[in-house]
Amino acid sequence: SMEAAGWNALADQHQFAVVYAQQRTANNQLTCFTWFEAGDITRGSGEAESVVQMVDTMIAKRFVDRSRVYVTGVSAGGAFSAVMLAAYPDRFRAGSVMAGLPYKCATDAASASTCSSNPRPPEQWGDLVRGAYTGYGGPYPRVQIWHGSKDFTVPTANAAELVKQWTNVWGIDQAAEAEETISSATRTQHKAADKVAVELYMVNGMGHAIAIGTDAMGAC
């Protein structure tokens, strides 16, 4: 679905490289990323390590600037984008989480479906991210969050929890500095000094999908 969203055309136009990380049915029958299993969301292991190896291969083959690598995904891929930002904050400049969930909101398949009904204080959410790479003292990636207001697959409450998590990681105010209506979306921005560190686009009337201009594409 990410390929169909138009990334190839944008890559050709702006001359950047794109890696489409694809799940195997041997790992997940729905070919969705395993964004909740400890062995797959921990730095240096499982699916998280596999994605970084794909990135490294592309960097080597295409001479990509290591300081300008970004990650995005939708649904389970959105949740896994949050995984990559948490486990490898030194490797990604920024990321976009579409219809996703907070890092470590679930620890197994059984609890994955109850994420939205388990809100946590910002400090607890932030501690989960900080614990993903202990001893890390560098900057964290900027985070953009997209969610449809009528997403009944991944409830919109997860977007609010993602905002709590990443604003806490950044050590910035939970209250937004700016709010604006752009087309059918409401954009709220949380700033660190003079730059936007965390922002949320809540797309009015959209379901479980990727926002593309005035259209939306369904996600698995």
Side-chain angles (χ1 to χ4, degrees):
S1 59
M2 295 306 295
E3 185 175 2
W7 283 108
N8 286 358
L10 287 171
D12 290 341
Q13 180 182 350
H14 298 288
Q15 294 297 289
F16 61 84
V18 185
V19 175
Y20 297 109
Q22 186 170 338
Q23 179 62 287
R24 299 184 303 168
T25 53
N27 294 342
N28 185 294
Q29 288 187 340
L30 298 175
T31 65
C32 291
F33 288 99
T34 313
W35 54 269
F36 45 81
E37 293 285 0
D40 286 309
I41 66 174
T42 301
R43 184 181 179 90
S45 71
E47 293 177 18
E49 183 181 27
S50 180
V51 171
V52 164
Q53 288 174 348
M54 295 178 204
V55 171
D56 284 341
T57 299
M58 180 64 86
I59 288 172
K61 285 187 173 182
R62 299 296 180 185
F63 306 103
V64 174
D65 184 347
R66 291 175 62 92
S67 69
R68 299 175 69 188
V69 179
Y70 304 84
V71 62
T72 187
V74 63
S75 193
F80 213 80
S81 294
V83 167
M84 299 310 298
L85 295 173
Y88 292 93
D90 53 327
R91 300 301 308 278
F92 297 97
R93 190 168 182 173
S96 179
V97 179
M98 303 181 186
L101 307 98
Y103 178 66
K104 272 196 175 178
C105 69
T107 53
D108 53 40
S111 59
S113 62
T114 61
C115 273
S116 61
S117 59
N118 291 310
R120 306 187 194 195
E123 186 72 18
Q124 286 186 18
W125 280 130
D127 284 347
L128 291 173
V129 171
R130 286 182 285 269
Y133 184 7
T134 55
Y136 178 64
Y140 275 89
R142 299 165 72 193
V143 183
Q144 189 179 73
I145 301 153
W146 291 78
H147 221 106
S149 69
K150 293 188 176 179
D151 188 338
F152 302 118
T153 303
V154 178
T156 56
N158 289 292
E161 299 303 299
L162 274 162
V163 169
K164 287 161 63 174
Q165 184 169 58
W166 288 98
T167 51
N168 182 264
V169 168
W170 270 85
I172 57 178
D173 202 328
Q174 294 287 305
E177 277 80 26
E179 182 174 321
E180 184 179 0
T181 299
I182 302 172
S183 185
S184 60
T186 299
R187 182 183 70 185
T188 51
Q189 297 181 321
H190 304 259
K191 297 181 179 180
D194 60 343
K195 72 176 180 181
V196 176
V198 180
E199 70 178 355
L200 166 65
Y201 283 82
M202 184 61 68
V203 185
N204 185 45
M206 187 175 78
H208 191 60
I210 307 169
I212 307 173
T214 56
D215 302 317
M217 291 184 56
C220 86

